[in-house]
Amino acid sequence: MRAARLIKMVLLLQSRPSMTAAELARELEVSERTVTRDAQALSEAGVPVYADRGRAGGYRLVGGYRTRLTGLARSEAEVLFLSGVPGALREMGLQDAASAARLKVSAALLPSLRDAPDSAAQRFHLDAPAWFREPETPALLPVLAEAVWDDRCVTARYRRGEGEAERTLEPYGLVLKAGVWYLCARVAGSGSFRTYRIDRFNAVDPLGERFDRGPDFDLPGFWAEQAERFARSILRAEVVVRLSPEGVRRLPYAVDPLGAREALRNPGEPDAEGWVTVTLPVESEEVAHSQLTGLGPEAEVLEPPGLRNRFAADAARLAALYRRTDG
């Protein structure tokens, strides 16, 4: 542990002109007293660490000293490709590897380029979770992330309906969708791939054996196919809707995007007022009522009769409410 900390301290000092004891303590997650002891240990080992005294003082490396400890380990090199998603790295337990990789890259850069990581971080940031929800990290995510990196089989118990199922899985990949983590895995012995919500796992036990990762597996392609299949599977009902031009524009933001695309692919001819009639795939009449309410007077439900009557009743209640308010 201390050896890794000393290496990190050298890399930090190599990537910056100087750092105060407080800055080093914050980066290394130790006390300033520990920083002082570590600096002395490095000096005794032949690393030219110099301490400037005074208010503006700090630690620096003397004489352009350069360490050769900048080679990236495999895990550090792989995690660099995820460095734009800091929250996801933290949730998977990979923040230490990412920090070490960034330090090694910074230490290897020319002095004129060492501000590049900070410059990029101030210009681009990815915030994966959806609005208006507090993201929750599944407790078993780090275990699954380690199994994914290591190509290691796991035995998993997960909630299914009112009961629980157990499977031996070959965890191929993780997907973070709108703040929710999913595991894409092959069921051992069957060859079939499935997708699991990680927050529904009750237990995950890594096994001793590793699996041979199929070279043809494409995680982004697999996820896109599964996501569209899932979206189509839940659109089990249809409603006929008359839309104003503004309603046509707002429909993709009010309902499921796949349903909106299907509805607008072949709309009817515009009437004299410019309104078009479309057949909209929906999850259910209840969901359609909730979603189409957001379009207000820009949409008129024509079928099914029960849903049309429900909107008519809503309109009557709204009219009565506003008449009472005005009176």
Side-chain angles (χ1 to χ4, degrees), residues 13 82 127 202 223 276 296:
L13 293 175
L82 297 172
D127 186 8
N202 292 328
W223 175 256
V276 297

Side-chain angles (χ1 to χ4, degrees), residues 38-235:
D38 286 351
Q40 183 177 351
L42 287 172
S43 181
E44 292 173 353
V47 178
V49 178
Y50 180 77
D52 291 316
R53 305 295 179 182
R55 180 177 298 178
Y59 292 92
R60 59 186 175 88
L61 294 175
V62 179
Y65 176 84
R66 308 283 296 176
T67 178
R68 295 186 179 182
L69 298 172
T70 52
L72 291 177
R74 178 176 180 83
S75 62
E76 295 167 348
E78 290 173 334
V79 85
L80 268 181
F81 293 97
L82 297 172
S83 58
V85 197
L89 285 171
R90 183 173 55 255
E91 292 177 4
M92 289 189 289
L94 299 173
Q95 66 271 31
D96 289 340
S99 175
R102 285 193 296 268
L103 273 176
K104 290 180 178 181
V105 170
S106 296
L109 292 174
L110 293 172
S112 61
L113 299 177
R114 285 181 187 158
D115 66 340
D118 291 335
S119 177
Q122 293 305 318
R123 286 167 171 78
F124 303 101
H125 176 68
L126 176 61
D127 186 8
W131 285 103
F132 312 120
R133 61 176 297 170
E134 286 293 330
E136 296 183 3
T137 303
L140 295 172
L141 176 60
V143 177
L144 285 168
E146 186 174 352
V148 168
W149 282 113
D150 206 25
D151 293 341
R152 188 174 296 278
C153 297
V154 301
T155 298
R157 297 200 310 275
Y158 61 95
R159 297 188 299 278
R160 189 173 66 178
E162 298 297 324
E164 185 179 76
E166 182 173 300
R167 295 284 186 275
T168 298
L169 302 176
E170 299 172 356
Y172 266 65
L174 297 170
V175 175
L176 177 60
K177 170 69 171 179
V180 180
W181 283 96
Y182 296 87
L183 173 70
C184 300
R186 184 168 61 184
V187 180
S190 73
S192 63
F193 285 89
R194 297 181 184 177
T195 302
Y196 302 86
R197 274 187 62 144
I198 294 179
D199 57 9
R200 293 178 182 168
F201 282 105
N202 292 328
V204 174
D205 297 314
L207 302 177
E209 65 268 23
R210 291 182 169 85
F211 62 91
D212 293 325
R213 178 177 291 268
D216 296 330
F217 180 77
D218 172 27
L219 180 59
F222 173 78
W223 175 256
E225 180 182 331
Q226 292 293 305
E228 182 166 348
R229 183 182 301 172
F230 172 74
R232 290 186 182 280
S233 71
I234 65 173
L235 300 179

